[in-house]
Amino acid sequence: MIDASTGTARLLEGGPIAAEIRVAVAEDVERFTRDQGRPPGLAVVIIGRDAPSTVYLEQILRGCAKVGIDARFVELEGEATESAVVDVIRNLNADRAIDGVIVQMPLPPAIRLRTVIDAIDPAKDIDGIHPLNAGLLRLGYDGFLPATAHAAVEILRRSGIEIAGKDALVIGRSAVVGMPAAFLLVKEDATVTVAHSRTRDLPGKIGRADIVVVAAGHAGLVSGDMLKKGAVVVDVGINVVDGRIRGDVDFESARRVASAITPVPGGVGPLTNALLLTHLIRAAERQAAAR
Ligand code: NAP
């Protein structure tokens, strides 16, 4: 609902929700560590330390340390071959102290994404990139969800935003964000349209949507004048503009029309990291139960 005192949208902040999740994760980690005699383990495979995503991965490591998860970088040099990367992943698959594996993206050009994805044990694929987990999501079964897409929908659920029956528009159709967010919204009983760079009349589609999830990687793509009055806006985009982090939505104009909106930074991002920890705990518990 629009805040009557300011005439602007309710802010859907990820930080407080992430903090709640971390408290629950810390309890789960403590129980797992007591029962199994070791903490849950996460391996982050990085290929070339200077890649831009290293900062994001370091944040994940710090988040793990805070709740007692044993997380570590497994580093390969930037010129590593595809078979060297696959060997490292296979060793981690076989390592009983490692419950989850994530691989730094984007990969160097010489390494094929599909080869790396296929090498990850689906049981340790806590960021839901393996085809088995993507297929489970597509069929509406429980698998590992890509954490960002999970966060984009979870922020709505945990903020008490009604999804069932609503017209939702997802802008972006990537395998890691747009498509899984769309499938999750369908699972929550929304009626979903997926837009992409070839979509015709994007402003018209935005103007008809009750919920707009924007994951295009294009700063300012969506502005307030395009939105339906009272729409709910989830901004997944991360863009650096003039040295500052910006979303895909022009926040200032959108907040005057939307009923609720996620800020960037501080919306989907913090929740993504916290949810990834919940995926790790689930992976650890499932593997322990299967042994
Ligand atoms: P991606 O693989 O580049 O996909 C972008 C998608 O947006 C594509 O489907 C593309 O269409 C579509 N698109 C691009 N420009 C468009 C336009 N002008 N109109 C309509 N559709 C357009 O990116 P991604 O990995 O999905 O990431 C999307 C955004 O989320 C990026 O800003 C990324 O930095 C951010 N992100 C955020 C988090 C987080 O935790 N908050 C995590 C990961 C990514 P085509 O398919 O036709 O090319």
Side-chain angles (χ1 to χ4, degrees):
M1 128 205 10
I2 293 183
D3 184 332
S5 58
T6 61
T8 56
R10 173 183 163 199
L11 268 191
L12 304 178
E13 289 177 292
I17 304 172
E20 268 175 37
I21 291 174
R22 275 202 202 87
V23 170
V25 167
E27 286 168 9
D28 290 345
V29 169
E30 200 182 327
R31 194 188 51 249
F32 180 91
T33 307
R34 203 173 43 239
D35 292 351
Q36 301 298 323
R38 67 164 180 89
L42 169 68
V44 180
V45 178
I46 64 171
I47 308 153
R49 252 233 179 225
D50 50 353
S53 54
T54 309
V55 176
Y56 163 70
L57 296 170
E58 278 166 351
Q59 268 174 22
I60 293 179
L61 249 60
R62 279 199 296 278
C64 285
K66 277 191 197 147
V67 295
I69 291 169
D70 175 19
R72 54 174 129 119
F73 277 160
V74 179
E75 296 190 44
L76 288 101
E77 57 189 30
E79 298 75 37
T81 61
E82 193 174 270
S83 66
V85 176
V86 168
D87 281 351
V88 161
I89 293 172
R90 290 208 177 117
N91 285 337
L92 293 169
N93 289 345
D95 187 337
R96 291 170 73 105
I98 294 295
D99 303 289
V101 176
I102 53 181
V103 181
Q104 174 200 50
M105 299 287 169
L107 295 167
I111 297 173
R112 284 169 296 180
L113 179 64
R114 181 71 200 267
T115 309
V116 168
I117 288 177
D118 284 349
I120 301 174
D121 178 350
K124 299 192 180 192
D125 171 36
I126 61 162
D127 206 13
I129 62 173
H130 190 280
L132 182 88
N133 285 312
L136 290 171
L137 171 61
R138 170 68 186 80
L139 295 173
Y141 298 138
D142 271 352
F144 289 112
L145 302 170
T148 303
H150 189 186
V153 177
E154 194 65 18
I155 203 163
L156 296 174
R157 283 167 27 91
R158 294 216 183 211
S159 305
I161 304 280
E162 201 180 325
I163 303 175
K166 301 288 176 171
D167 288 329
L169 174 69
V170 178
I171 307 178
R173 58 175 165 181
S174 74
V176 285
V177 191
M179 289 312 298
F183 286 129
L184 280 171
L185 287 165
V186 170
K187 203 173 170 189
E188 294 290 328
D189 297 324
T191 303
V192 181
T193 302
V194 179
H196 46 76
S197 65
R198 303 290 301 272
T199 294
R200 289 191 194 158
D201 187 23
L202 183 62
K205 291 180 174 61
I206 294 170
R208 286 189 289 278
D210 303 309
I211 296 172
V212 184
V213 176
V214 198
H218 187 138
L221 179 66
V222 175
S223 52
D225 57 333
M226 299 173 183
L227 292 167
K228 176 166 154 180
K229 185 92 182 147
V232 174
V233 180
V234 178
D235 189 353
V236 184
I238 299 177
N239 311 284
V240 181
V241 180
D242 299 332
R244 291 182 60 193
I245 303 278
R246 298 269 184 201
D248 287 350
V249 177
D250 175 40
F251 183 77
E252 282 311 318
S253 63
R255 73 190 306 209
R256 293 179 201 293
V257 183
S259 59
I261 184 168
T262 61
V264 177
V268 173
L271 196 51
T272 299
N273 293 357
L275 287 172
L276 196 64
L277 304 184
T278 67
H279 298 182
L280 180 72
I281 286 287
R282 206 161 115 237
E285 284 171 348
R286 281 187 178 181
Q287 287 167 81
R291 279 177 189 141

